Amino acid sequence: MIVRERPSGLVLFLVLRGSIMPRILLTLIVNIVVATLVTFSHGDLFNLKITLTAIPFSLIGLPIAIFLGFRNNAAYDRFWEGRKLWGELVYHSRSFSRQCASLIDYPVPACASEGLGDARVRMVYRAIAFAHALRGLLRATDSAADVRGLLLPDELAQMEKAFNKPDFLMGRMGMDLRLCLKEGRIESCLAAAVDATLSARRLDAARLAERQAILAPL
């Protein structure tokens, strides 16, 4: 479990990533300017005296409190659901890597560089690259630097052209599993178990993308 230091109130107020402040900044500035003008004019508009009471603010405050409470609960539910789904993805990733290491026969390579050409090793490395690519999809960031050392150069170039990078890697892992089955390095019943774990990882990614408001198809 990752435990971070508790941020201060000032840090939480000034943070911009994940904050709604950039979206409401213009409205907030307009409200501040209007409130300042009303304060300095003492409620006088030219020759007209505007009387302000606390009744409108009381009437507006109640629905705003209800609305903010609902939005706060919805935001936390979304965060907690995403955390649980990502935990399931990590669990299935570990199971997939263990199955690849224990169920698929691995011919000992003549040198370390030849090991990267084996389908079983590529599946494990692609499983790691898949997590980086999915994180980039969810955060709308470029994950090319994180997966550069995990994929072959030509495969990295193909992934960059793909519309959905995690789904591209998932398809390549399925092709490697089929190659291992064709070469007789894994039994068909065991290959079905590995494919089920692979499908569970794809389902976790789809649920993460769908429920975290990412519109890219998986």
Side-chain angles (χ1 to χ4, degrees):
M1 180 178 179
I2 300 176
V3 180
R4 297 184 175 90
E5 296 182 0
R6 185 180 181 87
S8 62
L10 181 61
V11 174
L12 291 176
F13 181 77
L14 297 178
V15 67
L16 293 180
R17 182 176 180 179
S19 174
I20 198 175
M21 186 62 69
R23 298 176 58 183
I24 65 172
L25 184 59
L26 180 60
T27 304
L28 184 61
I29 293 176
V30 172
N31 289 334
I32 292 176
V33 171
V34 172
T36 303
L37 293 177
V38 171
T39 302
F40 279 102
S41 62
H42 300 285
D44 294 329
L45 182 60
F46 302 107
N47 295 326
L48 179 63
K49 177 65 177 180
I50 301 177
T51 303
L52 298 176
T53 64
I55 296 178
F57 301 99
S58 301
L59 296 176
I60 296 175
L62 180 60
I64 288 180
I66 297 175
F67 177 74
L68 290 179
F70 172 78
R71 289 293 299 270
N72 184 65
N73 292 335
Y76 183 79
D77 288 341
R78 182 183 176 189
F79 158 76
W80 187 248
E81 185 178 20
R83 182 175 179 178
K84 290 190 295 184
L85 290 174
W86 190 264
E88 292 180 9
L89 179 66
V90 172
Y91 168 77
H92 289 131
S93 298
R94 291 173 178 172
S95 299
F96 177 74
S97 300
R98 177 187 56 80
Q99 289 173 336
C100 291
S102 59
L103 301 181
I104 302 177
D105 294 333
Y106 177 57
V108 180
C111 59
S113 60
E114 293 182 2
L116 296 177
D118 184 75
R120 189 187 80 164
V121 178
R122 289 199 304 266
M123 281 194 291
V124 176
Y125 276 86
R126 284 170 181 163
I128 303 173
F130 174 84
H132 288 292
L134 180 60
R135 182 193 62 191
L137 175 66
L138 294 174
R139 296 182 176 180
T141 58
D142 187 12
S143 57
D146 298 320
V147 303
R148 183 170 291 112
L150 302 171
L151 303 175
L152 298 175
D154 57 340
E155 186 178 19
L156 180 62
Q158 295 177 15
M159 190 195 75
E160 286 299 314
K161 298 178 182 179
F163 176 76
N164 193 316
K165 297 177 177 58
D167 194 60
F168 168 79
L169 294 174
M170 191 66 65
R172 298 302 293 265
M173 284 186 281
M175 294 172 58
D176 284 336
L177 180 60
R178 182 180 62 181
L179 178 62
C180 292
L181 181 62
K182 182 179 180 181
E183 294 175 350
R185 296 168 55 187
I186 184 174
E187 298 180 3
S188 58
C189 59
L190 299 179
V194 177
D195 183 71
T197 305
L198 190 62
S199 299
R201 296 180 75 245
R202 190 178 190 277
L203 178 61
D204 293 337
R207 289 190 296 173
L208 268 169
E210 177 184 357
R211 299 183 184 181
Q212 299 299 315
I214 299 297
L215 301 180
L218 281 171

